[in-house]
Amino acid sequence: MTTLPDGRTIPPLTADEPAMLASWLDMHRATLALKCAGLDDEQTLRASAEPSSLTLFGLVQHLAEVERNWVQRVFAGRDVPPLYGDRSGYTLDRTRTFAEVLAVWEREVAVNREICAGRSPNETGRLGPEEAAVTGDDVVSLRWILIHLIEEYARHNGHADLLRERIDGVTGT
């Protein structure tokens, strides 16, 4: 296993599909954690630029909710409530500290790793009626879910780059 100077593991250049998907998702999860490292509550509540109200605090809440929705609700079929009052996760939960929000996200990631461990990318879950109306079907493969999570993290890690640079000037991958 090769790691970057910041400690993140580089996904393998050759591997079977489940290992490749899991390693890329973990790389993006580690990137988000790196973007949040060493910041206090006030810093994580700082928006990047008007008119956007996006913050690292809200972004971590959102990704915890995304993790919960796609793996636990859709793939595993669990009836779990939203973490933050709505399924977007963007509404800031000011009753928690950023450390608590990170812990919630880390817990969701850990649960999802357990659910996905040893599962075939061909296994399926079921979308709810609203999502199925958009996609035209209610059956979705774990492969699709994992690729969607990788895409979701990749997009939001770009946002996290800009947020972190605005907060303290830190840039990088």
Side-chain angles (χ1 to χ4, degrees):
M1 226 180 273
T2 307
T3 59
L4 294 170
D6 58 30
R8 292 176 297 152
T9 301
I10 297 172
L13 300 178
T14 58
D16 62 17
E17 185 181 18
M20 189 68 73
L21 291 170
S23 65
W24 272 103
L25 182 52
D26 281 342
M27 171 72 158
H28 282 290
R29 288 167 169 157
T31 299
L32 179 67
L34 182 66
K35 293 296 170 187
C36 296
L39 298 176
D40 62 29
D41 289 354
E42 180 184 321
Q43 290 171 310
T44 63
L45 289 166
R46 194 170 304 154
S48 63
E50 291 182 8
S52 175
S53 61
L54 185 64
T55 65
L56 282 172
F57 200 105
L59 200 56
V60 171
Q61 286 185 169
H62 170 69
L63 288 166
E65 198 64 71
V66 166
E67 290 267 0
R68 175 173 273 214
N69 182 61
W70 284 103
V71 178
Q72 295 174 49
R73 288 188 190 109
V74 173
F75 181 66
R78 294 181 179 176
D79 184 18
V80 291
L83 294 162
Y84 298 105
D86 67 32
R87 291 203 175 170
S88 80
Y90 283 121
T91 303
L92 298 179
D93 181 354
R94 299 301 301 273
T95 66
R96 299 181 193 209
T97 65
F98 188 61
E100 291 169 329
V101 167
L102 275 174
V104 168
W105 170 71
E106 290 166 352
R107 184 189 71 228
E108 296 302 309
V109 167
V111 168
N112 292 351
R113 282 187 181 123
E114 286 180 26
I115 290 170
C116 294
R119 306 296 288 269
S120 166
N122 295 323
E123 291 185 52
T124 59
R126 297 244 178 239
L127 294 171
E130 289 178 27
E131 294 99 343
V134 172
T135 63
D137 196 352
D138 69 341
V139 177
V140 61
S141 71
L142 179 58
R143 175 183 295 103
W144 191 97
I145 290 168
L146 294 174
I147 291 170
H148 175 64
L149 288 174
I150 291 165
E151 174 273 330
E152 186 88 8
Y153 273 96
R155 180 166 29 105
H156 289 313
N157 280 338
H159 299 136
D161 281 337
L162 295 172
L163 287 161
R164 183 65 190 248
E165 185 176 10
R166 172 82 173 184
I167 291 166
D168 63 5
V170 171
T171 62
T173 56

